[in-house]
Amino acid sequence: MVTQTPERTLGAIAQGDSPVLEELVQMHLDTLERSGLDERTYHLVRLAALVAMDSAPVSYLMNLAVARDAGLTAADAQGVCTAIAPIVGSARVVSAAGSVLRALGFEEALPKN
């Protein structure tokens, strides 16, 4: 068995390497059912955690693609950001806004450079 260095593993994750991402997906299996939350609440809580952690854009893409399919809207995401801003700070909410819009498929709402 070949063991990768932490640098190679992290590099693979950052580049979206499929086997690594598949491993990450396995970590999330059945968490909805085990949480005891309804699907909408589950996705709202996960979005709040992503914002609070100042997550990487790929994390938003992975999580919000499923949330969007479950009916999460941009208005829902705005509500989450508004609710948690006093706790996590405006800098994290502003940092998350672009990633949230991209992940939900609203790139056209972003300012053009």
Side-chain angles (χ1 to χ4, degrees), residues 42-57:
Y42 173 80
H43 291 297
L44 293 173
V45 168
R46 289 176 69 92
L47 172 57
L50 291 171
V51 175
M53 296 296 300
D54 199 19
S55 296

Side-chain angles (χ1 to χ4, degrees), residues 31-42:
T31 57
L32 172 58
E33 293 78 17
R34 289 185 286 131
S35 74
L37 299 171
D38 64 86
E39 188 172 16
R40 182 175 187 281
T41 302
Y42 173 80

Side-chain angles (χ1 to χ4, degrees), residues 38-103:
D38 64 86
E39 188 172 16
R40 182 175 187 281
T41 302
Y42 173 80
H43 291 297
L44 293 173
V45 168
R46 289 176 69 92
L47 172 57
L50 291 171
V51 175
M53 296 296 300
D54 199 19
S55 296
V58 70
S59 296
Y60 289 95
L61 289 171
M62 289 175 60
N63 285 277
L64 294 183
V66 176
R68 183 186 58 233
D69 292 345
L72 188 85
T73 66
D76 294 328
Q78 179 182 353
V80 167
C81 290
T82 300
I84 67 172
I87 296 168
V88 302
S90 60
R92 288 213 172 159
V93 170
V94 170
S95 174
S99 295
V100 169
L101 286 172
R102 283 183 198 88

